Amino acid sequence: MRFEGTDQYVATEDLQMAVNAAITLQRPLLIKGEPGTGKTMLAEEVAASLGKRLLRWHIKSTTKAQQGLYEYDAVSRLRDSQLGDDRVHDIGNYIKKGMLWQAFDADEQVVLLIDEVDKADIEFPNDLLVELDKMEFFVYETGERIQAKHRPIIIITSNNEKELPDAFLRRCFFHYINFPDQATMHQIVDVHFPEIKQELVREAMEIFFQVRNVNGLRKKPSTSELIDWLKLLLSDDISRDALINRDPTQAMPPLYGALLKNEQDLHMLQRLAFMARRENR
């Protein structure tokens, strides 16, 4: 059982090695990288490649670790007791299984995605140390000890918004997805647009990497934004010549809103283009 990428996902050798190492070690795979580099999609493609079901636990700033295990609905039980409902005699009726419990309880091994773990409170990773290490937890309301029937393949993503605790990092296999070079990016584009004209791709990618290489950008355009931009260029039937021969008084490439996401970066590129025009007079 080895991950080697899929027809829909270009995985570098280093990334393939990281996925397979985490599976062999039976440790969570912690994936970091710029937003838009395919961290979440990796879990989807690992599940598809290995023929396993994918469970997604998307983390928010308000998410608590307990929610991944289970939640006890005491309010509903109190209401039902006031109404004389017989369900109140079985406390299990008021326990909702979280994603970790569902992964532990699955009859076959699953892939569990814990997406954007760094969005939660700083204590969130620490609160899952035992569960991720021992693959078990205790349900206090029922006295049950839940143990994983099959150890899930766990993929954890982070955008580096917060530092993660050392104790948590020790339990993970770590991989950082470097931003693709031009050759790898070309492969990714070919996967998404197999019929696209290569001349257009070359010119679009040259502009894309020129924008990315501008020092001081607050938000560099990512892989997903390049894909969106190419999709717009194709839908508007913009040719390679239009990219090469665009109006030199205009700093921005056509449909730049797919690449630039804030006004500071827009103004910076406009100033740089203005200065370049003055130098060339």
Side-chain angles (χ1 to χ4, degrees):
M1 185 176 63
R2 292 185 61 82
F3 174 68
E4 298 177 344
T6 68
D7 293 340
Q8 303 300 317
Y9 190 91
V10 177
T12 63
E13 288 187 10
D14 285 348
L15 181 55
Q16 294 177 38
M17 189 180 300
V19 172
N20 293 317
I23 293 173
T24 299
L25 293 173
Q26 296 187 328
R27 289 189 178 277
L29 174 62
L30 174 61
I31 294 288
K32 290 186 179 183
E34 290 183 31
T37 50
K39 299 186 296 295
T40 299
M41 188 180 294
L42 172 65
E44 298 170 357
E45 296 305 318
V46 168
S49 173
L50 302 180
K52 299 186 180 298
R53 184 162 63 100
L54 175 66
L55 298 179
R56 298 177 177 87
W57 185 14
H58 297 292
I59 307 303
K60 303 177 181 178
S61 60
T62 56
T63 303
K64 302 299 181 185
Q66 180 65 31
Q67 294 171 308
L69 307 179
Y70 68 92
E71 293 182 89
Y72 170 51
D73 190 351
V75 174
S76 292
R77 191 179 185 205
L78 175 62
R79 183 190 63 237
D80 288 347
S81 68
Q82 293 171 336
L83 297 174
D85 194 322
D86 288 338
R87 283 165 41 90
V88 298
H89 301 299
D90 182 0
I91 197 171
N93 291 325
Y94 303 94
I95 290 179
K96 179 183 177 182
K97 295 180 180 180
M99 282 299 172
L100 270 174
W101 190 337
Q102 293 179 43
F104 289 0
D105 206 34
D107 292 329
E108 297 179 346
Q109 186 182 49
V110 301
V111 176
L112 173 63
L113 168 65
I114 304 178
D115 201 20
E116 298 189 326
V117 67
D118 52 326
K119 284 192 177 299
D121 184 85
I122 189 62
E123 292 303 322
F124 178 90
N126 281 331
D127 291 342
L128 290 177
L129 292 180
V130 174
E131 289 76 11
L132 294 179
D133 196 21
K134 303 295 184 182
M135 289 288 142
E136 64 179 32
F137 63 90
F138 190 74
V139 183
Y140 296 97
E141 287 79 5
T142 63
E144 298 175 86
R145 183 171 297 279
I146 306 300
Q147 294 179 308
K149 296 179 182 177
H150 304 277
R151 194 177 187 99
I153 298 171
I154 299 177
I155 297 177
I156 304 172
T157 70
S158 169
N159 287 326
N160 249 351
E161 293 183 8
K162 293 190 187 81
E163 287 293 326
L164 299 174
D166 288 346
F168 177 77
L169 295 175
R170 184 175 63 79
R171 287 164 169 80
C172 299
F173 189 92
F174 170 74
H175 182 76
Y176 185 88
I177 298 181
N178 290 309
F179 194 82
D181 57 24
Q182 291 212 26
T184 304
M185 187 67 82
H186 212 127
Q187 289 181 277
I188 294 171
V189 170
D190 287 343
V191 165
H192 288 271
F193 306 104
E195 305 297 330
I196 194 171
K197 293 179 181 178
Q198 294 304 308
E199 296 85 358
L200 175 62
V201 172
R202 281 193 293 271
E203 189 59 35
M205 283 181 54
E206 184 175 338
I207 294 172
F208 172 79
F209 279 99
Q210 284 175 354
V211 173
R212 266 194 66 86
N213 290 334
V214 172
N215 290 326
L217 286 183
R218 292 188 60 188
K219 168 69 174 71
K220 292 180 181 291
S222 66
T223 306
S224 63
E225 285 153 350
L226 172 61
I227 298 302
D228 287 345
W229 188 47
L230 284 171
K231 188 181 297 183
L232 288 173
L233 293 179
L234 289 173
S235 67
D236 281 18
D237 199 25
I238 293 176
S239 67
R240 169 181 176 269
D241 290 341
L243 292 180
I244 296 176
N245 300 319
R246 66 184 190 274
D247 185 350
T249 63
Q250 299 297 318
M252 298 297 101
L255 302 166
Y256 63 82
L259 299 176
L260 301 175
K261 301 299 183 178
N262 61 69
E263 64 277 12
Q264 293 95 327
D265 290 347
L266 173 62
H267 294 157
M268 175 183 287
L269 289 184
Q270 287 174 334
R271 286 196 303 272
L272 291 174
F274 174 75
M275 292 168 62
R277 286 197 300 270
R278 293 195 62 178
E279 290 176 0
N280 291 331
R281 284 179 180 175

